[in-house]
Amino acid sequence: MVSNRSLKNRIAVIYPFLILLLSSCVSSHIHHYHFNQKTAAPKLKEDIVLLKKILEANHPSLYWYTPKDSIDYYFNNAITSINDSLTETAFRNKVAYVISKIHCGHTAVRLSVDYNKMLEKNRYPMFPLSIKTWGDTMVVIGSNKPKDSIFKRGTIITSINGRTNKQLLDSMFQLIGTDGYSNVYKSQMISGNFPMMYKLVWSLDSNYTITYLDALGKELTANITNYSPSTTKVKSTRKVTDSLKTVVKTLPKVKKPTRKQRKENKLLNLRSLSIDSTESTAYMRLSSFSEGHLRTFFRRSFKKLEETNTKNLIIDLRENTGGYVSASNLFTKYIINKPFKNADTVAAIRHSIKHPYYVRESLKYWFCAHFVSRKMADGRYHDRRAETHYFNPKTKHHFDGKVFILQGGYTYSASTMFTSTVKGQSNVTIVGEESGGGNYGNTAMYMPTIILPNSKLRVIMPTFRMVMDAKRKKDGRGVLPDVYVPASSEAIRKGIDYKLEAVKKLIR
């Protein structure tokens, strides 16, 4: 027979799970949804008021870089500026503008699930040029217009439809969050999909007047229209069909890649290692710390480096936006020459999510927070193991040669943890640009998703503030390279990787 006290204890344990399980049920879909549909102004205002309430209750770094009165101002300004119904993208821009003022790269706004499902059918038309940006510079990477004789790779753009580069980029920067104040990550994000960002911020025009510099540096003007894939169908005659059949018969049959080959190609896109024995140099590319069977890859790679007596290791993290801290720690062990820990502070405001009805994965957070953290004197819940546990360097297959790390704006989160930890070590040189991730710290760890009930916009909300090293200056900057190699129009035009070339020069 179960005693009353035992029964009460069991209920006390199960009750929070039941409450969170039942409460986290806000739908992420809109019935009879129309792509980029409008929502009435009062409903949108309700969403912003609710978002502010949820962030105030749960976000541990809401006022880390921006004081409360300023955050209140941005939210209130967003609310009062809504005087009519808005499309989903227009409302998303208003929310993204406010979120960017938090200066937290892991707090991000996503369009609704319904929008993303219908995006492929509504992707076009698009701005026709792919553009690489840094600072106030804009350089053409490619054109979607066939036989474009003007906007070739490497062409420098100076304005679009009367807007200067600074006006264009500043407006886009306002909608992208990042750790602290560095714009390197923002530039990288825009470079990754300039047509989408242009469409999101400025909407589409039917025609674009673009000023650019020619080969002699003279400013010229040209017009270009939007890009849409051709939908014109070519009427095939029997003669053409017969000719094509003849051609096809003479072509060698190409075998489809096997399942194993497809898997190997996918892994190569995530991580790879190549060794040049003549230069005694290895090149390792890591685009993620969350996929790619990394534990096995690290063990085999560093064993190979030891067997080949490789003296130099180039680690390319320019596409690595982060991933699992455990994978970053494991990788660090192969490079670092002294014990290290993750951070001086890893702390959350509370054990459980407040307003869980609107937050997906509230139950998962409750479980994780109770498992890894406990309340300390400052009233916050600290992950004490992350704050106190030291990891030792690997003794087996540890790499003791020269290490050259390539980094850029996409070097973020867990990859920044690695670079900031090994920076300053005598055999380590960081080459490239400032990292996108913060050098002092960030807010991340467990990141549930807020679903705003009326617009169905999704807001990613990190829950633990991490100060990696309290001795570092809290200046809102990323990890600075030891050897600075900026982007350049010449490098784009010639198709030369100047950052990698700089490393090779250092080795030689």
Side-chain angles (χ1 to χ4, degrees):
M1 185 174 180
V2 180
S3 67
N4 288 338
R5 177 173 291 183
S6 177
L7 183 60
K8 288 180 180 179
N9 288 340
R10 292 184 184 183
I11 292 174
V13 172
I14 297 171
Y15 181 73
F17 283 94
L18 293 175
I19 292 298
L20 288 168
L21 187 63
L22 293 172
S23 62
S24 301
C25 57
V26 61
S27 173
S28 58
H29 296 278
I30 297 175
H31 294 297
H32 308 298
Y33 177 82
H34 300 287
F35 183 73
N36 202 24
Q37 67 181 34
K38 287 188 174 183
T39 303
K43 294 293 184 182
L44 298 178
K45 291 183 178 184
E46 286 177 11
D47 276 1
I48 296 183
V49 171
L50 175 64
L51 176 61
K52 184 173 186 286
K53 186 185 296 184
I54 294 173
L55 292 175
E56 285 175 336
N58 301 288
H59 198 297
S61 302
L62 190 59
Y63 313 121
W64 207 14
Y65 286 101
T66 308
K68 185 180 185 304
D69 58 349
S70 296
I71 292 294
D72 290 344
Y73 167 80
Y74 292 124
F75 270 104
N76 293 336
N77 190 55
I79 293 168
T80 56
S81 70
I82 301 174
N83 300 311
D84 200 356
S85 58
L86 295 175
T87 62
E88 184 173 340
T89 53
F91 181 59
R92 181 262 175 203
N93 289 351
K94 285 188 178 292
V95 175
Y97 178 85
V98 177
I99 293 299
S100 73
K101 301 305 179 184
I102 302 173
H103 296 287
C104 170
H106 290 88
T107 307
V109 184
R110 302 283 184 265
L111 289 157
S112 70
V113 173
D114 294 313
Y115 183 98
N116 283 347
K117 280 186 176 180
M118 299 181 70
L119 180 60
E120 195 59 40
K121 295 179 181 178
N122 297 274
R123 186 179 298 277
Y124 301 101
M126 294 287 282
F127 182 81
L129 303 177
S130 296
I131 295 176
K132 166 75 175 174
T133 79
W134 65 94
D136 293 334
T137 301
M138 293 169 46
V139 177
V140 174
I141 300 174
S143 172
N144 284 314
K145 290 292 185 179
K147 300 179 181 179
D148 191 333
S149 60
I150 297 175
F151 299 108
K152 297 180 179 179
R153 183 181 178 89
T155 302
I156 298 174
I157 304 293
T158 56
S159 74
I160 300 174
N161 281 356
R163 300 185 184 99
T164 65
N165 291 357
K166 182 173 175 55
Q167 290 173 324
L168 290 164
L169 296 176
D170 281 353
S171 297
M172 294 180 186
F173 284 170
Q174 299 299 322
L175 305 184
I176 303 172
T178 190
D179 290 345
Y181 307 116
S182 172
N183 285 331
V184 182
Y185 172 74
K186 297 183 180 187
S187 292
Q188 196 72 48
M189 284 286 290
I190 295 169
S191 300
N193 201 339
F194 187 91
M196 183 275 289
M197 287 299 300
Y198 189 97
K199 187 176 184 178
L200 193 63
V201 176
W202 297 103
S203 298
L204 291 177
D205 295 304
S206 57
N207 186 71
Y208 304 92
T209 301
I210 300 178
T211 57
Y212 65 98
L213 302 181
D214 67 6
L216 300 176
K218 183 180 178 182
E219 190 168 76
L220 301 175
T221 301
N223 293 316
I224 194 169
T225 57
N226 283 314
Y227 165 72
S228 289
S230 176
T231 55
T232 305
K233 294 184 179 179
V234 179
K235 294 181 180 180
S236 58
T237 63
R238 177 175 293 180
K239 185 177 180 180
V240 173
T241 304
D242 291 341
S243 298
L244 285 173
K245 285 180 179 178
T246 304
V247 172
V248 170
K249 285 180 180 178
T250 61
L251 291 174
K253 291 185 178 181
V254 180
K255 290 184 179 180
K256 289 184 178 181
T258 63
R259 184 177 180 182
K260 182 180 179 181
Q261 288 172 330
R262 290 197 300 270
K263 185 178 179 181
E264 288 175 350
N265 289 334
K266 181 181 178 181
L267 289 175
L268 280 174
N269 286 329
L270 294 169
R271 80 290 187 280
S272 61
L273 176 73
S274 58
I275 300 175
D276 183 350
S277 58
T278 59
E279 297 283 344
S280 191
T281 298
Y283 173 81
M284 180 183 289
R285 177 175 164 271
L286 287 173
S287 62
S288 173
F289 274 125
S290 57
E291 295 181 273
H293 306 297
L294 293 177
R295 181 173 292 276
T296 302
F297 174 73
F298 293 157
R299 185 180 68 253
R300 291 176 177 174
S301 295
F302 284 101
K303 181 182 179 182
K304 185 75 171 177
L305 295 177
E306 186 176 75
E307 290 172 346
T308 55
N309 197 28
T310 301
K311 303 298 183 185
N312 306 291
L313 173 60
I314 303 170
I315 302 171
D316 194 339
L317 298 178
R318 287 176 291 178
E319 300 169 274
N320 195 315
T321 55
Y324 298 126
V325 174
S326 58
S328 175
N329 286 339
L330 178 60
F331 188 61
T332 305
K333 291 178 183 181
Y334 284 101
I335 302 297
I336 203 163
N337 57 18
K338 61 182 180 181
F340 69 97
K341 63 175 181 173
N342 283 330
D344 287 334
T345 303
V346 181
I349 292 178
R350 57 182 70 253
H351 251 168
S352 57
I353 297 294
K354 199 168 183 181
H355 311 295
Y357 179 81
Y358 305 99
V359 183
R360 287 292 166 90
E361 298 185 329
S362 296
L363 177 60
K364 180 180 177 181
Y365 172 77
W366 183 93
F367 178 80
C368 293
H370 277 73
F371 183 74
V372 304
S373 65
R374 59 190 177 92
K375 194 171 185 179
M376 302 296 289
D378 62 358
R380 296 204 168 199
Y381 292 85
H382 289 250
D383 182 343
R384 291 299 292 155
R385 187 178 190 279
E387 294 175 344
T388 60
H389 179 76
Y390 278 84
F391 299 92
N392 291 314
K394 284 280 186 181
T395 55
K396 190 175 183 180
H397 309 315
H398 186 273
F399 187 78
D400 297 312
K402 291 184 178 180
V403 178
F404 301 87
I405 301 171
L406 293 169
Q407 72 166 23
Y410 271 155
T411 309
Y412 219 85
S413 195
S415 61
T416 304
M417 289 179 65
F418 164 72
T419 56
S420 64
T421 301
V422 299
K423 180 178 169 63
Q425 188 167 296
S426 60
N427 66 327
V428 173
T429 303
I430 299 177
V431 179
E433 299 170 89
E434 181 180 357
S435 71
N439 183 48
Y440 179 75
N442 59 56
T443 307
M445 304 295 280
Y446 306 102
M447 297 185 288
T449 302
I450 302 167
I451 307 291
L452 299 182
N454 299 310
S455 63
K456 303 303 180 183
L457 282 188
R458 297 168 293 163
V459 180
I460 310 302
M461 180 181 66
T463 53
F464 276 77
R465 177 195 288 183
M466 175 183 288
V467 176
M468 290 186 283
D469 189 342
K471 298 186 186 71
R472 296 174 191 164
K473 188 177 181 181
K474 184 193 164 194
D475 56 3
R477 301 298 301 274
V479 178
L480 300 178
D482 301 307
V483 179
Y484 176 59
V485 184
S488 73
S489 58
E490 182 183 22
I492 294 171
R493 186 172 62 254
K494 293 181 178 179
I496 299 174
D497 188 342
Y498 277 7
K499 294 178 176 64
L500 184 57
E501 289 301 313
V503 171
K504 290 179 180 179
K505 186 177 179 180
L506 289 170
I507 291 172
R508 286 193 292 265

